[in-house]
Amino acid sequence: MNNFWDSSVWGFFNLLAVLLMSLLAANIVKKGIKPLRESLIPVSVLGGGILIIVEGIYKLITGDAMFDTAFFGSNGTQMLEIITYHTLALGFIASTFKSSDAKLTKERTTEIFNTGVTTVATYLLQAVVGFGITIVASLIIKDFFAAAGILLPFGFGQGTGQALNYGGIYENDFGFVGGKSFGLTIAALGFLSASIGGVIHLAILKRKGKFSGKKTEKEEITADKIQSANEIPMQESIDKLTIQIALIAVAYIVAYGLMVLLGKLLPGMKSVIYGFNFLLGVLAATLVKAVLKFLKKKNIVKKEYTNDFLMTRASNFFYDIMVVAGIAAIRLGVLEKYWGIMLILGATGLVITYVYNYFVAKTLFKNYSEEQFLAMYGMLTGTASTGIILLREIDGEFKTPASDNLVYQNFPAIVFGFPIMLLATLAPVKPILTLIILAVFFVVMNIILFRSKIFKGKKK
């Protein structure tokens, strides 16, 4: 029996409260310091950085790890990793519940498909270059984990949650000491790359006169954006937000059931299956949406239960918590030998992602190349939210299709990107073979991406 004054009762709440307080503190710091205010660093990244500094000072004074004290239930670091793991899936689920009934023209379908292929091709480029760097490093540094470079696309391209997932797989299944912290640090460097590359590119546009630098007017939230026709009331005997959270929870528990089932069928792949919690979460949310749609069609359910405005708020909340918890979970002590490699990976990731995406945008998205580039570069070094932050600087009202491309590209990206996740578990066992397969896959993706240019040229 727990006493209410025990640390086990208060530990999780204290941890969550500190994460939220760090976000408030980071927001105040960013608003109050001009260079930070004008930077594109997300508040969640800044909040995580503040917690790393506070934790470092605490350890310097006391010699103990701050998050593993009784105040945080004596297992705060592990709990930070668990929070990061779950909020990744919860954010994806909330995003999946948003309506996607827009009619797409043939041209728009092609652009969305190309955006999805660009996403996967960038993952592959990051994987090939990152993996190549760490294979060479393993020949120079004794006992260095050769497959560490595969974490570059997970940290840059897919963000904090997946960097933790695969860093955990490498740490637990393949003996990569500090694998989780390595992945989380790469993700943090990705956010910094988004800010640095974004600022540089916006400065270039400003110099060329294509960008004024003036902030666009704030988005007006009208009543129809908050609640559309035929939805359940905002507040009745149960609050509308409660229903949104309940639907997210239903989808996630269905996803957990799928993971348990697949884990029993494929016991040798348990780590990979549970690493796909976000993907199975998307599948489960799609099934729940289909059931609700079926019930509405049969007139069993009379009104719409999901709300785009609230689901967006929920997904953004989960992503903010994911990033700040993920960065706070970094254990700097286990990375002492790896800083040089990580900085090389971070700098290289910035350059190759910038150059490749700029080339693709200029070649295939000529009508809105700058907007497409900023959105894609931001997403492929941070998250979709980072891409939107950069896009807002030059397209505050989202007049171009670039923002829609980020939303709808997920399906082709998941279909083509799934093999990379499987190859990531082959990398520690067969590094050279995996590198060759990734390189071939990258060539194939570019043939698909530039098919109109390649085959048009052949016809001529």
Side-chain angles (χ1 to χ4, degrees), residues 55-166:
E55 207 273 342
I57 294 170
Y58 183 89
K59 190 163 187 178
L60 194 66
I61 295 170
T62 66
D64 297 324
M66 184 179 78
F67 289 114
D68 291 332
T69 57
F71 183 76
F72 295 110
S74 303
N75 65 341
T77 302
Q78 184 183 5
M79 194 58 64
L80 286 169
E81 293 172 354
I82 292 170
I83 289 170
T84 305
Y85 171 78
H86 286 307
T87 47
L88 169 70
L90 292 169
F92 266 90
I93 289 168
S95 297
T96 304
F97 271 118
K98 291 163 65 178
S99 60
S100 54
D101 299 326
K103 292 182 179 179
L104 301 174
T105 63
K106 185 179 178 181
E107 182 184 1
R108 288 292 299 119
T109 303
T110 301
E111 289 176 341
I112 289 165
F113 178 79
N114 285 344
T115 302
V117 176
T118 304
T119 298
V120 177
T122 307
Y123 292 164
L124 288 162
L125 178 61
Q126 291 168 341
V128 169
V129 174
F131 197 11
I133 289 170
T134 53
I135 285 176
V136 172
S138 70
L139 300 174
I140 301 169
I141 303 171
K142 187 181 178 182
D143 297 328
F144 183 73
F145 189 69
I150 290 285
L151 293 172
L152 183 60
F154 292 114
F156 268 54
Q158 297 192 8
T160 311
Q162 278 298 83
L164 174 69
N165 283 351
Y166 276 87

Side-chain angles (χ1 to χ4, degrees), residues 84-98 248 252 278 282 311-312 314-320 322:
T84 305
Y85 171 78
H86 286 307
T87 47
L88 169 70
L90 292 169
F92 266 90
I93 289 168
S95 297
T96 304
F97 271 118
K98 291 163 65 178
I248 293 168
Y252 200 29
F278 75 102
V282 168
M311 284 297 182
T312 301
S315 65
N316 289 347
F317 169 76
F318 290 130
Y319 288 143
D320 281 339
M322 178 190 74

Side-chain angles (χ1 to χ4, degrees), residues 238-255:
I238 183 171
D239 194 89
K240 196 169 187 173
L241 178 60
T242 307
I243 289 176
Q244 310 307 300
I245 300 299
L247 288 171
I248 293 168
V250 167
Y252 200 29
I253 205 164
V254 170

